[in-house]
Amino acid sequence: LLQSASRPAILAEVEDLRTRPWGYPAREIIKFLVSAKYRWFALGADGSLQPASIDLPSYDANLVAFPQERVEEFRDMLAKSVASLGGLWTAGQRICWVD
């Protein structure tokens, strides 16, 4: 799946509290997908996607990983989705991409 022609975006709970009982730190999830050429993004309180740090000693977050070669595609899809929603959202509900 991670090596297919159309690799998926991944929404992951990257949290040491969850991985510790299984014997590994959450940062191993980050490192594994970085080695598979994925880029990580954090979800902002306002719905924005912001580049996530990939070298923290511990994690407690829900993060999104996009395949490096599909980042622009997902960026375009996100922009189209926001545009199609038009006036359905209030000022506090927005999605944007921050690089």
Side-chain angles (χ1 to χ4, degrees):
L1 184 64
L2 297 181
Q3 297 176 358
S4 66
S6 182
R7 301 188 310 154
I10 298 172
L11 174 62
E13 183 176 30
V14 184
E15 190 173 316
D16 284 289
L17 179 68
R18 305 287 177 223
T19 60
R20 193 174 301 117
W22 295 96
Y24 67 93
R27 71 178 174 271
E28 292 301 317
I29 298 169
I30 302 289
K31 290 165 71 175
F32 175 76
L33 286 175
V34 165
S35 73
K37 305 241 186 287
Y38 271 75
R39 289 182 54 198
W40 284 98
F41 294 86
L43 304 167
D46 62 355
S48 64
L49 292 172
Q50 303 165 356
S53 176
I54 60 169
D55 57 2
L56 297 176
S58 65
Y59 287 87
D60 179 14
N62 290 317
L63 301 174
V64 180
F66 293 111
Q68 185 173 298
E69 73 279 2
R70 296 186 68 199
V71 168
E72 290 300 320
E73 176 187 347
F74 283 110
R75 183 187 314 234
D76 291 345
M77 282 192 318
L78 183 59
K80 288 176 186 173
S81 293
V82 170
S84 71
L85 292 173
L88 296 176
W89 289 7
T90 64
Q93 298 173 309
R94 65 185 177 101
I95 295 179
C96 64
W97 192 284
V98 179
D99 248 347

